[in-house]
Amino acid sequence: MSDAIKHECGIALLRLKKPLEFYKEKYGTAFYGIQKMYLLMEKQHNRGQDGAGFASIKLDVEPGERYISRVRSNDAQPIQDVFAQINERINEEMAAHPEYSDNVALQKKNIPYLGELFLGHVRYGTFGKNSIESVHPFLRQNNWMHRNLIVAGNFNMTNVTELFNSLVELGQHPKEMADTVTVMEKIGHFLDDEVTDLYLECKNNGLSKREASPVIAEKLEVGKILKRASKGWDGGYAMAGLFGHGDAFVFRDPAGIRPAYFYEDDEIVVVASERPVIQTVFNVEFEKVQELKPGHALIIKKNGKLTEEEIRTPTVKKACSFERIYFSRGSDAEIYQERKNLGKLILPAVLKAIDNDTDNTVFSYIPNTAETSFYGIVEAAQDFLNQRKNNYILNNRNTLTKDSLQELLAVKIRTEKVAIKDAKLRTFITEDSSRDDLVAHIYDVTYGVIKPTDNLVIIDDSIVRGTTLKMSIIKMMDRLKPKSIVIVSSAPQIRYPDCYGIDMAKLEGLIAFKATLELLKERNLYHIVDEVYLKCKAQEKLKDSEVVNFVTEIYAPFHPQEISDKIAELLSSPEINAEVKIIFQTVEDLHIACPKNLGDWYFTGDYPTAGGNRVVNRAFMNFYEGKDARAY
């Protein structure tokens, strides 16, 4: 991606359904669960490198024995750091106590992190905070085993202030106004209520507090807690939690915005943010890994029983399409094909841009995440060329010679690796001039493969701000002296901010928004900006459910290609000799390519929750008022 949209958080939950002795006998180690958690997290490191955390729970321990362990890191390589700390502790204990080596019971009793229930998280900090306090999992501690709560998730809430205020109304004093804290405290509040109610029921039945404990564990209704806690949530989320006594859950938002997949057999229950992670780590087939339904929670009771329970009424499914375009690893069978289709479907627009002249066109891609879409566009281009050859042969079959036929068949679609990422921008350099110079040298080019008569087609997975295109890629490609440079985005124009986990909070940073403002100025339509601002302002005191996204009116006067042409103009500079063209995927073809992930609010403004409309209007008002602030 020429302008990285950063990452998504990733979750991993693992429940061992057999005693630890089983894994020792079958797999040679009681640390089977920890090893699998390392793989589950490492296979999702693409989703976030700002931090990583791991938590474990031991089941059925005696009072006074430690049963919860947690370790977090915001190191430069956080997953490696987390498991280095875990391994160090384990090795210390094993070295100091040789008697543990063949005694699983002693290992479980005395070695931290060893248990039957695990939760892992890889983090991308949307708000830019990277302190250790911001790293998941979060822990809410209590001396009652049932009231201990560990939470980690991939989510953003649009209504954090409202959730915070509701906690205050409940008499709580949250330590900060952050969505993770408010969500955990919401769950914790109703967990406390449920435990209290169950204890009173046990007390009325003549049970002592100690006798009540296993009864509470058995009767605790996790679904009921989640229903009460999530009543006011507005956002995209895949939320995972562990209770101290051994219950666990993973809960997905009603629109299915954030992804979650699971697999169960007689040995394990595992949940992760991506399907192929589970396939690879546990060597299971595609069909056996299930997607958690929107609005549902996967609930794992302490006894190992697994249920999928509806918590919030599912809405129209709007699973994030950027998961398919970019975030998720392309090793998923469906995602791989979808990305190829994104390339295939955009070929007609590319052919129009190059006047069908595939003989004098070189196809390439930037960056590596666009490689699969590149394969798709090349396959489609080869089909186009083959059809052209077939038509020529049919129309000239009486005059073709052996030599002319061989010459015709030898024509191929030309592909080259013309760009190589040479260095990673160091974020500690903040001065604009220094940063611009670094950006200009991120990529190097392959010389000698482009002729002055060639079109150079470069496919990218998306274009967000256009900074790297303008400062680096287009300039570098122009050094090859092509006739034209055609930048192809496998995603549509990004026109609106995201508020469900992707770090796109400000309208003015989006190149499509900038280009549209320029068109409004050129055509004496800038009064629309003032009108939209007044409409947004008038909605400030309305309920979220009553708010309308008026920012769509900014784009309404223009055909998408007009905006694309203006983007090409903005991203070019006087020293560029080649003609520069920008082509974006259409929303219609995006939906054809990714039929199961129809979330497209960043392209269309069609937000899947009411809070999204408030966020986009707030983002527009921030732009209009010159406020450098996030909209959520």
Side-chain angles (χ1 to χ4, degrees):
M1 190 173 296
S2 57
D3 291 303
I5 308 184
K6 305 299 183 184
H7 318 279
E8 278 292 336
C9 295
I11 57 173
L13 185 149
L14 177 62
R15 168 66 154 87
L16 304 182
K17 296 170 69 175
K18 303 281 189 182
L20 293 181
E21 287 81 3
F22 170 88
Y23 305 94
K24 169 74 172 177
E25 183 177 341
K26 182 171 182 177
Y27 300 105
T29 176
F31 301 102
Y32 171 85
I34 296 175
Q35 293 173 353
K36 291 299 186 182
M37 283 297 296
Y38 169 70
L39 291 173
L40 287 168
M41 292 172 65
E42 191 60 60
K43 292 293 182 182
Q44 294 185 97
H45 78 273
N46 56 296
R47 302 186 69 83
Q49 295 93 40
D50 288 345
F54 171 99
S56 65
I57 290 180
K58 303 175 190 285
L59 301 181
D60 300 317
V61 301
E62 291 297 319
E65 292 180 7
R66 182 177 179 182
Y67 61 97
I68 295 178
S69 297
R70 180 183 63 153
V71 57
R72 300 181 294 174
S73 174
N74 60 347
D75 189 78
Q77 294 182 305
I79 301 172
Q80 296 288 339
D81 185 47
V82 161
F83 284 91
Q85 293 181 56
I86 292 172
N87 287 333
E88 184 178 2
R89 285 295 309 279
I90 291 173
N91 291 335
E92 284 177 359
E93 293 292 335
M94 296 294 281
H97 301 278
E99 67 273 19
Y100 293 174
S101 60
D102 293 316
N103 192 318
V104 176
L106 287 176
Q107 289 178 8
K108 177 179 174 179
K109 181 177 180 178
N110 295 290
I111 296 177
Y113 307 112
L114 182 59
E116 294 90 353
L117 184 56
F118 307 93
L119 179 60
H121 188 265
V122 292
R123 176 181 184 271
Y124 168 61
T126 312
F127 284 85
K129 297 176 182 177
N130 199 29
S131 65
I132 194 68
E133 290 80 11
S134 300
V135 179
H136 304 208
F138 286 80
L139 175 60
R140 187 178 190 264
Q141 292 182 292
N142 193 285
N143 228 23
W144 281 51
M145 182 180 282
H146 320 86
R147 295 187 181 187
N148 283 288
L149 175 63
I150 304 170
V151 171
N154 171 17
F155 67 98
N156 258 19
M157 298 297 176
T158 69
N159 59 337
V160 179
T161 302
E162 179 185 327
L163 295 175
F164 179 90
N165 291 337
S166 70
L167 287 173
V168 175
E169 290 298 317
L170 290 171
Q172 294 193 21
H173 191 92
K175 63 180 182 179
E176 62 178 308
M177 192 183 291
D179 53 6
T180 310
V181 172
T182 53
V183 163
M184 181 174 68
E185 292 301 336
K186 269 279 193 181
I187 298 172
H189 172 80
F190 291 107
L191 170 63
D192 289 345
D193 269 5
E194 184 72 5
V195 170
T196 300
D197 290 346
L198 287 171
Y199 167 66
L200 291 174
E201 180 183 316
C202 290
K203 183 180 178 181
N204 292 335
N205 289 330
L207 299 180
S208 69
K209 291 182 179 179
R210 185 161 187 170
E211 290 170 332
S213 188
V215 176
I216 292 172
E218 181 184 348
K219 290 190 172 183
L220 192 71
E221 295 184 48
V222 178
K224 180 180 177 182
I225 294 168
L226 294 176
K227 286 175 183 176
R228 296 177 72 191
S230 64
K231 192 173 182 181
W233 293 1
D234 187 290
Y237 48 87
M239 191 84 58
L242 314 179
F243 299 106
H245 64 279
D247 286 356
F249 70 86
V250 179
F251 175 28
R252 194 176 181 200
D253 65 84
I257 296 170
R258 300 271 68 89
Y261 297 86
F262 70 96
Y263 166 76
E264 180 190 23
D265 60 25
D266 61 347
E267 295 180 10
I268 61 159
V269 177
V270 59
V271 188
S273 294
E274 299 186 23
R275 188 200 318 262
V277 172
I278 298 174
Q279 288 183 257
T280 299
V281 173
F282 292 96
N283 191 26
V284 296
E285 297 174 1
F286 176 94
E287 295 77 13
K288 292 185 178 180
V289 181
Q290 301 179 61
E291 182 178 2
L292 178 57
K293 299 186 191 76
H296 285 63
L298 199 70
I299 297 171
I300 312 165
K301 288 296 290 179
K302 177 181 177 291
N303 62 12
K305 182 182 179 183
L306 178 71
T307 56
E308 189 176 7
E309 182 178 339
E310 183 179 304
I311 305 299
R312 302 248 66 87
T313 303
T315 59
V316 176
K317 188 178 179 183
K318 291 288 185 177
C320 176
S321 57
F322 257 122
E323 285 285 346
R324 320 302 277 189
I325 297 168
Y326 175 67
F327 289 130
S328 294
R329 293 163 80 97
S331 53
D332 184 284
E334 287 185 342
I335 292 175
Y336 184 81
Q337 193 57 52
E338 288 168 9
R339 290 181 182 175
K340 285 187 72 174
N341 288 339
L342 287 169
K344 290 178 179 180
L345 289 167
I346 207 166
L347 180 70
V350 173
L351 291 174
K352 183 177 179 181
I354 61 174
D355 296 324
N356 291 340
D357 185 10
T358 55
D359 293 350
N360 293 295
T361 297
V362 172
F363 291 85
S364 192
Y365 60 92
I366 293 179
N368 289 341
T369 49
E371 186 175 7
T372 307
S373 295
F374 165 76
Y375 291 145
I377 197 172
V378 169
E379 280 187 17
Q382 191 62 56
D383 290 342
F384 167 80
L385 180 58
N386 289 341
Q387 187 61 49
R388 195 182 76 187
K389 290 178 181 180
N390 289 341
N391 292 340
Y392 186 86
I393 291 170
L394 290 173
N395 293 332
N396 297 276
R397 56 184 177 273
N398 296 325
T399 58
L400 277 174
T401 65
K402 181 180 179 180
D403 289 342
S404 61
L405 180 60
Q406 286 182 335
E407 182 180 350
L408 175 67
L409 295 177
V411 177
K412 297 178 180 178
I413 295 297
R414 296 164 60 198
T415 62
E416 303 287 353
K417 179 128 176 123
V418 298
I420 303 159
K421 196 163 188 178
D422 197 43
K424 186 175 182 180
L425 183 66
R426 304 294 291 190
T427 55
F428 56 77
I429 298 179
T430 57
E431 296 86 0
D432 289 343
S433 58
S434 300
R435 189 180 188 282
D436 287 350
D437 185 59
L438 277 173
V439 171
H441 291 86
I442 286 176
Y443 291 95
D444 203 354
V445 291
T446 304
Y447 294 95
V449 296
I450 304 295
K451 304 190 300 289
T453 55
D454 284 337
N455 305 298
L456 177 54
V457 174
I458 301 286
I459 191 164
D460 193 351
D461 34 41
S462 65
I463 300 170
V464 188
R465 302 169 188 89
T467 306
T468 309
L469 276 175
K470 183 179 180 69
M471 300 305 301
S472 177
I473 293 172
I474 292 174
K475 290 181 180 179
M476 298 293 280
M477 296 303 104
D478 195 55
R479 293 183 188 178
L480 300 175
K481 298 183 172 21
K483 179 178 70 175
S484 71
I485 301 169
V486 182
I487 306 294
V488 182
S489 170
S490 68
Q493 296 167 3
I494 299 171
R495 298 180 171 191
Y496 306 93
D498 181 78
C499 51
Y500 305 117
I502 304 172
D503 195 11
M504 295 190 299
K506 300 176 183 178
L507 271 170
E508 59 268 30
L510 305 177
I511 188 63
F513 184 72
K514 292 180 181 178
T516 304
L517 292 181
E518 290 299 314
L519 289 173
L520 290 170
K521 291 175 185 175
E522 290 175 5
R523 302 186 189 180
N524 295 319
L525 295 172
Y526 205 79
H527 60 88
I528 294 175
V529 173
D530 302 317
E531 293 165 2
V532 169
Y533 172 73
L534 293 174
K535 290 179 180 179
C536 292
K537 194 74 175 174
Q539 298 186 104
E540 279 192 298
K541 295 183 180 180
L542 296 181
K543 296 178 181 178
D544 282 355
S545 59
E546 299 172 336
V547 175
V548 175
N549 176 8
F550 284 114
V551 183
T552 56
E553 296 180 9
I554 295 293
Y555 300 97
F558 310 111
H559 187 276
Q561 191 56 50
E562 293 179 276
I563 298 174
S564 296
D565 292 342
K566 179 54 69 173
I567 290 172
E569 184 182 319
L570 293 178
L571 296 184
S572 301
S573 50
E575 67 270 22
I576 302 298
N577 295 308
E579 181 185 9
V580 177
K581 299 178 182 179
I582 306 284
I583 296 173
F584 287 89
Q585 187 72 260
T586 66
V587 173
E588 293 76 16
D589 282 346
L590 169 70
H591 290 170
I592 292 171
C594 308
K596 296 181 181 179
N597 283 53
L598 300 177
D600 59 8
W601 53 92
Y602 16 68
F603 309 129
T604 64
D606 181 16
Y607 286 86
T609 76
N613 291 330
R614 182 174 296 283
V615 167
V616 67
N617 285 344
R618 180 71 262 172
F620 184 81
M621 288 188 289
N622 286 345
F623 149 74
Y624 190 93
E625 296 168 1
K627 293 180 180 178
D628 184 18
R630 302 181 70 90
Y632 59 93

